[in-house]
Amino acid sequence: MKIFFENIFEASKDAIGYATIDGTILLINRAFSDLTGFSREELLRMNVRDLIPEQHRKQRDDMVAQVLKTGEPGEYEIEYLRKNGSQVPVSITVFAVKTEDGKSTGLAAIVRDLTERKHAEEQFRLVVESSPSGLLMVDEQGTILLVNRQIEQLFGYERTELIGQSVERLVPPQMRSRHAGERRGFSAHSESRAMGKGRDLFGLRKDGQEFPLEIGLSPVQTENGIQVLASVMDISERKLAELTLRKERDFINAVLETAGALVVVVDREGRILRFNRACEQTTGYSSEEVVGRFVWDLFIIPDEVDGVKAVFKRLRGGEPRNDYENYWKGRDGFLRRISWSNTVLTDSKGMVEYVVAAGLDITDLKRIQEQLRKTEQIAELGTLASGMAHEIGTPMNVILGRAEYLLQRTADEGMKKGLATIVTQVERITKVMNQLLAFTRRRTSERRAVDLCEIVDNSLEMFQERLAHSRIEVDKSIESPLPPVCADRDQLIQVLINLVMNSLHAMPEGGRLGLSLTREDNYVCLGVSDTGHGMPEEIRSKVFDPFFTTKDFGKGTGLGLTVVKGIIEEHGGTITVESVVGMGTTFWVRLPLDKIQTAATP
């Protein structure tokens, strides 16, 4: 049995020694010699105090005194001196050896080398201290056990002010009760996770300042129960960056949504990602309806699809920007001419991710340009007509006078027929010249109170024979009494004659001519309708354009309705046209009533 215990004694990895109460070493094992570097013989000639550095001797003496007094084993940590002069950290468990009568005869000690544990603790300390995040450890009661340098810097405390304190000290007062409840819930169901996910967390600095933070929690199982290691990061800069980014995004959104320009963002395949309010107002489609759809499937007319795709292909292929014009078709089918300025956004590799198109609606601009072009043509025509009036008018008057003179004096029927033809053609030339002059340089209106009913009746008398010959019936509807309008009588007769003549030309096989006069608020409305062939939209939209005519060559100048429109607008009125192919046409003329008569006639 003695040999058995000796073998165990020598085989122990922990150093074991026995000494007298005054510290003289009496017995040691091999591990004791290995730990200190002294041989067994050297150790047996030494006192235990020879192995203890001066700064630890009092600690050792106090522990020995306590063990001898209480009879209970004691444990403490110190450093041992080695033979080579170095020191080794050790944990010592010391207990008294007693006789049967309870008298202490010596002290036995078990000494454990703590080098590896101390190294591990130092590595842990270095990791904790060098962590860019604040680290603190708390027990199940929320008591702070450990903090690193980052925690001190984040919260403004010395670690001595935090160790042993409740972790709620670092939480704003209004959040402490909730935080304590969540902490207890985490301890009950501990797993590594981010604390406060889905809501904002705040810390409280020593100076009372609150700041946003992010916390990661990791449970650590120890012999004293579960402890929680918390990783704490100040996210003030990130929150500031997010706020700045959100403000920039809101600003960009506000600019895009309030801008008058159309802004469309598409991906590299051509699918719409962004569609601003100007686009919605122009097309009648909402953003929700178009996002994810191809732009050429919705808005581009068939004739322009290939051109738009070609422009898009060039952009996707690396062309940084380009300009393009095309029509956009709205929900109601109405076409708007849009001038686009296109650019691309690329990723870090230079690949095109998005195409941004900013467009201006130039429909009205194009219309104004066309009107300007026509105005310039009219101005040129006026100059030409003014010159021609003298150069052609004078000889035409001579020819007309001579032809009429000869017509009265000849008895030859063949001669009369020829002279009558000359008179007719000269009058026609004179009429065309007068229309040109009226169109380009109308005389000053002589306005007075005019009875439109009388003008309608007088104008119909001029066409009685023509109406009967053409088998055209007249439907006349005149509201009575009807106040007069302030207008130039001759110009209104010219308007009515032109409109009636157009209706007669539209009914070569006969039909019904309608004339109506009604009062609409402060206007008199004149309607001239026929049951003729009607006009398609492409013709109806151009009937007031200068020189536009559907009549055969030599039968019309294309100026009649242009002159009519000019006269009506000079009188402060409006003229519109309605027409259905195969059913007829109606012109509506609205002229303002004479203000004095309007006041007298409620």
Side-chain angles (χ1 to χ4, degrees):
M1 182 63 70
K2 179 180 179 182
I3 295 175
F4 176 74
F5 282 111
E6 287 178 353
N7 289 337
I8 294 176
F9 180 75
E10 289 297 328
S12 174
K13 293 183 178 181
D14 292 329
I16 302 175
Y18 175 69
T20 62
I21 291 176
D22 62 4
T24 301
I25 299 174
L26 300 178
L27 180 68
I28 52 100
N29 66 352
R30 184 184 302 112
F32 206 108
S33 178
D34 295 339
L35 176 64
T36 61
F38 292 101
S39 65
R40 187 187 301 268
E41 292 74 14
E42 290 173 320
L43 287 169
L44 292 178
R45 293 195 296 270
M46 297 171 62
N47 189 287
V48 171
R49 293 174 62 85
D50 297 334
L51 299 174
I52 299 174
E54 183 67 31
Q55 69 269 24
H56 293 310
R57 287 179 181 175
K58 183 177 185 306
Q59 180 184 357
R60 181 262 174 190
D61 293 343
D62 291 343
M63 179 58 67
V64 169
Q66 181 179 343
V67 169
L68 293 174
K69 180 179 179 181
T70 63
E72 298 295 328
E75 185 174 352
Y76 62 103
E77 292 182 6
I78 60 172
E79 292 180 340
Y80 260 13
L81 289 172
R82 308 186 70 177
K83 185 176 180 179
N84 60 8
S86 63
Q87 297 182 8
V88 56
V90 294
S91 170
I92 301 175
T93 302
V94 60
F95 53 92
V97 178
K98 300 180 180 181
T99 60
E100 291 181 359
D101 58 4
K103 183 179 180 180
S104 296
T105 59
L107 296 168
I110 300 175
V111 183
R112 178 165 296 171
D113 187 349
L114 298 182
T115 302
E116 291 186 5
R117 196 188 82 180
K118 290 293 184 180
H119 179 71
E121 289 178 351
E122 179 62 18
Q123 292 297 315
F124 176 75
R125 188 190 67 80
L126 292 175
V127 169
V128 169
E129 289 300 318
S130 62
S131 172
S133 301
L135 295 176
L136 62 83
M137 183 172 284
V138 299
D139 61 16
E140 292 181 272
Q141 287 71 46
T143 302
I144 298 174
L145 305 176
L146 173 147
V147 298
N148 69 347
R149 187 183 302 111
Q150 283 295 326
I151 291 291
E152 292 179 307
Q153 294 175 354
L154 282 178
F155 291 92
Y157 288 98
E158 298 290 337
R159 67 185 64 199
T160 54
E161 297 178 273
L162 294 176
I163 300 298
Q165 300 296 316
S166 171
V167 72
E168 271 73 43
R169 184 175 185 177
L170 304 177
V171 177
Q174 66 273 19
M175 300 180 182
R176 286 174 182 170
S177 59
R178 176 186 292 181
H179 182 271
E182 291 183 348
R183 175 175 52 75
R184 287 190 292 270
F186 178 81
S187 297
H189 304 87
S190 56
E191 58 182 10
S192 297
R193 63 178 174 85
M195 186 175 183
K197 186 177 182 181
R199 63 181 182 84
D200 292 333
L201 294 176
F202 289 88
L204 180 67
R205 291 193 172 97
K206 184 178 181 179
D207 60 7
Q209 181 184 2
E210 297 182 12
F211 66 100
L213 50 80
E214 189 174 78
I215 301 177
L217 304 177
S218 297
V220 179
Q221 184 67 49
T222 70
E223 61 184 13
N224 297 320
I226 293 179
Q227 296 177 354
V228 178
L229 180 65
S231 172
V232 183
M233 183 176 295
D234 183 353
I235 58 173
S236 299
E237 292 186 2
R238 190 175 80 189
K239 287 290 185 181
L240 180 61
E242 290 175 354
L243 178 61
T244 302
L245 182 62
R246 184 165 60 251
K247 287 182 177 179
E248 291 179 354
R249 184 172 61 247
D250 292 343
F251 174 76
I252 292 172
N253 287 338
V255 170
L256 290 180
E257 293 306 315
T258 58
L262 287 73
V263 180
V264 184
V265 181
V266 299
D267 64 15
R268 59 178 288 105
E269 303 301 325
R271 296 183 184 87
I272 298 171
L273 303 177
R274 185 67 184 265
F275 195 75
N276 76 340
R277 184 175 294 122
C279 290
E280 293 178 327
Q281 294 171 343
T282 300
T283 64
Y285 288 96
S286 68
S287 178
E288 292 74 13
E289 291 177 285
V290 303
V291 168
R293 302 181 66 179
F294 291 101
V295 65
W296 40 75
D297 290 345
L298 282 175
F299 309 115
I300 311 302
I301 61 177
D303 292 346
E304 294 185 342
V305 168
D306 291 340
V308 171
K309 287 185 176 180
V311 170
F312 182 77
K313 185 177 181 181
R314 295 204 310 269
L315 290 166
R316 195 174 67 174
E319 187 173 340
R321 69 177 306 277
N322 60 39
D323 299 318
Y324 190 70
E325 278 188 24
N326 67 304
Y327 282 105
W328 255 31
K329 180 177 64 178
R331 183 192 293 276
D332 57 1
F334 187 74
L335 297 180
R336 306 293 295 181
R337 190 70 176 175
I338 311 296
S339 175
W340 296 102
S341 180
N342 306 309
T343 188
V344 298
L345 299 177
T346 59
D347 60 16
S348 58
K349 298 179 180 178
M351 293 291 292
V352 174
E353 281 190 304
Y354 309 106
V355 174
V356 180
L360 291 177
D361 186 345
I362 58 173
T363 308
D364 294 334
L365 176 62
K366 289 289 186 181
R367 185 181 298 116
I368 292 172
Q369 289 175 342
E370 179 63 20
Q371 290 174 348
L372 179 60
R373 184 184 64 80
K374 291 178 180 178
T375 302
E376 291 173 347
Q377 288 179 340
I378 292 169
E380 293 174 359
L381 179 61
T383 302
L384 176 63
S386 298
M388 291 176 62
H390 176 73
E391 298 297 332
I392 297 178
T394 300
M396 284 297 105
N397 287 330
V398 173
I399 294 172
L400 180 62
R402 289 296 181 181
E404 289 175 340
Y405 175 79
L406 294 172
L407 185 61
Q408 293 174 359
R409 283 163 175 72
T410 184
D412 187 291
E413 292 299 325
M415 182 67 72
K416 283 186 176 182
K417 186 176 181 180
L419 290 171
T421 300
I422 292 174
V423 170
T424 300
Q425 292 304 315
V426 170
E427 288 177 342
R428 181 174 178 275
I429 292 172
T430 303
K431 179 182 177 182
V432 170
M433 289 303 303
N434 287 336
Q435 280 188 323
L436 282 171
L437 288 172
F439 172 65
T440 59
R441 190 180 60 197
R442 280 188 287 273
R443 64 177 174 81
T444 303
S445 299
E446 297 178 1
R447 301 187 188 182
R448 59 182 183 273
V450 175
D451 185 353
L452 280 178
C453 301
E454 179 188 353
I455 290 179
V456 169
D457 290 338
N458 291 342
S459 299
L460 283 177
E461 287 182 9
M462 300 180 193
F463 292 99
Q464 285 299 325
E465 185 178 347
R466 176 75 178 270
L467 293 169
H469 179 73
S470 301
R471 302 187 305 280
I472 295 175
E473 298 179 6
V474 177
D475 289 338
K476 187 170 64 171
S477 174
I478 298 178
E479 181 181 312
S480 180
L482 198 65
V485 296
C486 183
D488 185 303
R489 175 185 173 83
D490 293 339
Q491 288 185 345
L492 290 190
I493 291 175
Q494 184 180 357
V495 167
L496 196 58
I497 289 174
N498 269 285
L499 295 179
V500 171
M501 285 298 296
N502 276 338
S503 294
L504 296 181
H505 291 155
M507 299 183 289
E509 305 299 327
R512 180 175 288 103
L513 172 68
L515 292 169
S516 65
L517 280 173
T518 58
R519 177 173 177 174
E520 295 181 358
D521 296 327
N522 294 327
Y523 289 84
V524 171
C525 180
L526 166 66
V528 180
S529 62
D530 62 65
T531 57
H533 46 65
M535 296 178 286
E537 171 61 25
E538 60 269 20
I539 292 178
R540 187 193 66 77
S541 62
K542 299 178 182 179
V543 293
F544 297 112
D545 291 353
F547 309 111
F548 178 80
T549 181
T550 59
K551 298 174 183 177
D552 295 335
F553 179 75
K555 294 184 178 180
T557 63
L559 291 173
L561 287 176
T562 307
V563 172
V564 166
K565 186 172 187 291
I567 291 173
I568 297 302
E569 289 180 347
E570 281 186 359
H571 282 74
T574 62
I575 181 169
T576 57
V577 59
E578 299 173 357
S579 188
V580 178
V581 175
M583 298 182 66
T585 301
T586 300
F587 285 90
W588 296 105
V589 176
R590 289 173 175 82
L591 291 168
L593 289 169
D594 182 78
K595 293 182 179 180
I596 298 177
Q597 295 294 333
T598 302
T601 310

